[in-house]
Amino acid sequence: MGDDLRSRRTVIAGVGAGGLALALTACGGSTDSTQPAAAGSSAPQSGAPAGGALAKTADIPVGGGTVFKEQKIVVTQPTSGEFKAFSAVCTHNGCTVGNVSDGLIVCPCHGSKFAIADGSVKAGPAGKPLPAQQIKVEGDQITLA
């Protein structure tokens, strides 16, 4: 019976190692270009192609903004007719900001808050501002630049 037990262990170990190799292969080597850049990077964080429509100007409240999670961008309107855009990836730990409230872009992960006018840090733990992003406002349409 000793040989049978060793044979079974060998087969089970082989299957386990093969499964592990398959899992590692499936998880590695991604070339997904929509992954966020490192915190503080000046690379665009947008997952949508340039020129992609984001919203109508009427959709962005004056003194507030809207987070576009899929595109990883937040568009704000600090004053009437002035539109700004920033990366929606918090510079503290890479979370996506959650909302815009009381003139601040708010990250739900650790409570960092950023100014809607310039992306500057208003409350930590983030130490760097949200990077500005390029948008175009034509008529009542806001698009990625």
Side-chain angles (χ1 to χ4, degrees), residues 7-140:
S7 295
R8 283 187 212 147
R9 285 184 184 158
T10 303
V11 169
I12 291 171
V15 169
L20 177 60
L22 180 60
L24 290 174
T25 301
C27 291
S30 174
T31 58
D32 184 0
S33 63
T34 61
Q35 291 295 327
S41 169
S42 61
Q45 303 283 316
S46 172
L54 283 175
K56 292 189 178 290
T57 55
D59 296 336
I60 311 299
V62 176
T66 301
V67 177
F68 298 92
K69 290 184 182 199
E70 186 175 308
Q71 291 86 0
K72 295 187 185 324
I73 194 168
V74 57
V75 177
T76 65
Q77 188 176 186
T79 60
S80 184
E82 176 189 22
F83 295 91
K84 303 279 186 161
F86 306 96
S87 168
V89 178
C90 181
T91 58
H92 169 245
N93 211 23
C95 295
T96 301
V97 297
N99 65 0
V100 180
S101 177
D102 299 321
L104 297 169
I105 302 165
V106 181
C107 180
C109 292
H110 299 107
S112 292
K113 296 178 182 176
F114 305 88
I116 63 170
D118 61 7
S120 63
V121 178
K122 293 300 180 185
K128 296 180 181 179
L130 292 175
Q133 300 292 296
Q134 298 298 312
I135 55 171
K136 285 195 290 188
V137 180
E138 294 180 8
D140 68 345

Side-chain angles (χ1 to χ4, degrees), residues 1-9:
M1 277 225 336
D3 288 336
D4 286 342
L5 184 56
R6 274 184 254 144
S7 295
R8 283 187 212 147
R9 285 184 184 158

